[in-house]
Amino acid sequence: MRRTVSRVAIVFALLKKELVAYARDTVYLALTLVVLIAAPLLFRAMPDRVDEELVLAICPPVERLLEGSTEALRALGASEADIARIRQADLTNQKGLLLVEFDDAAKMRAAIEGSLEVWRASDGTLVFVDTTAGEKRPRGAERVDVQVGVAFPERFLADLVAGARGIEVTVYTHASAPPELRQAVTSFVREAAFEIAGDELPVRFPDEKDVVLGTDRLGDQVSLREKMRPMLLFVVLMMETFSMASLVSTEVLERTVTAVLVTPAKVSDFIAAKTIFGTLVSFTQALIVLALIGGLTASSWSVVLAVLAIGAVMFTGIALIVGAAGKDFIGQLFYAMLFTVPLLIPAFAVLFPGSVAPWVRVLPTFPIIDVLVKATVYGGGWREAAGSLVYALAWLAVLFGAGVVALRRKVASL
């Protein structure tokens, strides 16, 4: 009497075969270990804070500008009220601004060039270190990166109150400073001059809450380390495409799949085992990395697990396509790169600031990385991720269906 073997038992037996084959593939096994070790190390190496403070160098110091101008202002007929208004126009009292004052412009230029270093001690005191003279930085101090400075004339305030025109103010910037920084500082000096001179600006700006659209992240910026978290999870999911595709192509090229089909196993069992194994391996590795780098919150953990599961199945489907198409190792590697490189673009698009191009939003992996960013970086839940998850499921159906059809046709042709 012939014993009937259940489909579950067959798939389970094929899964054990997949595990043995995976353990014997030393190349991809080593690659997996490297990814699991490198991802947390890279995450820890990223800066974990955002510097939103603008460092502005000025010359001469504010006090000297005031002291040198008071008598001149009185001589020019300025009242005590005018002088008091000038003193109250405190340039240092600006949110997110660190004012570094220099006695002369040459010293300020040296600081911007980098030959003179500026350090901030734990008590907030600024210390200047001349590296060309062999001076050493103070212990426990923090380096202040001075990229822009403004050189005022000694009689800047007096000339402003007197209504002088053509006062020359020089804005110095480091070569690596973005041009927007120079433009912003120039506008800042112009507006401060209007304020000190008692002239109202010819235009009026509404409040920030009325002009900042979307979530205002001022003072709540995300560090590069936080931004790297979704990208690392995404890369871990994607890397399994290579190893899974290798397992599929090996069985196809060596025709071991035909030997499997001689047994009671069917093509559907073979594909089911590949899908389950690839999904479990990819999902498990992502969970390990997630446990090492953190990022789960009470409101987002279920969303993160759901999108990781969707991503694991999606990349397994891509692996089925690549494994069925490759005719040798080079061919399989070529197809893997052909699929994965474009799919990596959304990860970089979301990582860097700016709006994402419409064609990037169409890519299958965009909803995956979008949900990972919303959940692991900003703590978003199901409501914020619902639309992207539906979009991801649609692409999952397309890619996984294509993978099943491709592998089934390949096996049938053997």
Side-chain angles (χ1 to χ4, degrees):
M1 182 176 177
R2 186 175 180 180
R3 182 183 176 187
T4 302
V5 182
S6 67
R7 304 254 68 83
V8 174
I10 293 174
V11 172
F12 186 73
L14 291 175
L15 283 175
K16 289 197 293 185
K17 181 183 72 67
E18 296 292 338
L19 182 60
V20 173
Y22 184 82
R24 289 176 177 173
D25 194 335
T26 55
V27 174
Y28 288 107
L29 187 61
L31 183 62
T32 299
L33 294 175
V34 169
V35 171
L36 291 179
I37 295 173
L41 293 178
L42 180 62
F43 178 77
R44 300 296 175 191
M46 292 291 108
D48 63 345
R49 70 174 193 172
V50 180
D51 188 5
E52 295 186 279
E53 189 177 58
L54 171 64
V55 179
L56 176 63
I58 66 165
C59 172
V62 175
E63 281 297 320
R64 208 166 86 197
L65 279 173
L66 294 175
E67 291 173 0
S69 302
T70 303
E71 293 303 323
L73 293 173
R74 290 197 181 98
L76 290 171
S79 64
E80 292 299 326
D82 293 331
I83 296 174
R85 190 180 70 246
I86 294 173
R87 290 187 178 277
Q88 291 172 358
D90 186 4
L91 295 177
T92 63
N93 189 22
Q94 301 290 330
K95 183 180 180 181
L97 174 67
L98 174 61
L99 206 62
V100 183
E101 299 172 304
F102 291 88
D103 293 329
D104 58 79
K107 199 173 180 181
M108 183 177 70
R109 288 198 300 269
I112 296 174
E113 289 172 353
S115 58
L116 179 68
E117 296 182 352
V118 181
W119 294 85
R120 178 163 50 187
S122 56
D123 60 354
T125 306
L126 295 179
V127 180
F128 301 108
V129 177
D130 187 355
T131 55
T132 59
E135 297 178 355
K136 297 183 179 180
R137 65 164 181 150
R139 184 171 298 177
E142 177 188 19
R143 177 77 182 273
V144 176
D145 185 18
V146 182
Q147 291 195 328
V148 61
V150 185
F152 294 100
E154 291 284 347
R155 290 177 52 81
F156 175 68
L157 298 178
D159 292 342
L160 273 181
V161 176
R165 293 293 182 264
I167 303 174
E168 184 174 322
V169 177
T170 306
V171 177
Y172 295 98
T173 56
H174 191 270
S176 63
E180 294 84 2
L181 180 60
R182 179 185 178 85
Q183 185 177 358
V185 172
T186 302
S187 299
F188 169 73
V189 172
R190 186 180 296 117
E191 292 183 19
F194 273 114
E195 183 180 353
I196 294 171
D199 297 332
E200 292 187 2
L201 293 175
V203 295
R204 185 176 64 85
F205 297 101
D207 294 337
E208 287 187 9
K209 61 182 178 60
D210 297 327
V211 296
V212 178
L213 305 180
T215 305
D216 187 3
R217 297 288 177 188
L218 182 62
D220 187 27
Q221 295 290 320
V222 178
S223 67
L224 183 58
R225 178 183 293 183
E226 295 297 314
K227 290 182 178 179
M228 284 297 293
R229 179 181 286 118
M231 186 172 183
L232 291 173
L233 294 172
F234 179 82
V235 170
V236 170
L237 289 175
M238 190 186 69
M239 289 302 294
E240 272 313 302
T241 301
F242 293 88
S243 59
M244 195 62 208
S246 175
L247 290 176
V248 173
S249 64
T250 299
E251 294 214 46
V252 170
L253 295 175
E254 297 179 356
R255 296 178 181 272
T256 53
V257 62
T258 56
V260 172
L261 296 180
V262 172
T263 67
K266 300 179 180 178
V267 177
S268 58
D269 300 326
F270 175 74
I271 295 177
K274 293 290 184 189
T275 301
I276 295 172
F277 184 78
T279 302
L280 285 178
V281 171
S282 183
F283 184 71
T284 303
Q285 291 183 23
L287 285 183
I288 293 174
V289 173
L290 181 63
L292 294 174
I293 65 178
L296 292 180
T297 64
S299 61
S300 66
W301 67 270
S302 57
V303 178
V304 175
L305 296 183
V307 76
L308 288 180
I310 293 174
V313 179
M314 180 182 291
F315 282 111
T316 300
I318 295 172
L320 297 182
I321 300 174
V322 174
K327 296 181 179 179
D328 50 31
F329 176 77
I330 298 300
Q332 176 254 318
L333 189 61
F334 172 77
Y335 280 113
M337 296 296 291
L338 187 66
F339 273 92
T340 55
V341 170
L343 296 180
L344 193 59
I345 294 175
F348 289 99
V350 174
L351 181 65
F352 295 105
S355 59
V356 179
W359 67 270
V360 176
R361 295 178 180 273
V362 177
L363 295 176
T365 49
F366 175 78
I368 301 293
I369 190 70
D370 184 50
V371 174
L372 285 175
V373 170
K374 289 177 179 175
T376 62
V377 178
Y378 300 112
W382 286 97
R383 186 174 61 180
E384 293 81 3
S388 295
L389 285 175
V390 172
Y391 187 34
L393 287 172
W395 267 118
L396 170 64
V398 172
L399 291 175
F400 183 70
V404 170
V405 171
L407 185 56
R408 184 181 288 275
R409 294 182 61 179
K410 186 68 178 181
V411 172
S413 67
L414 297 176

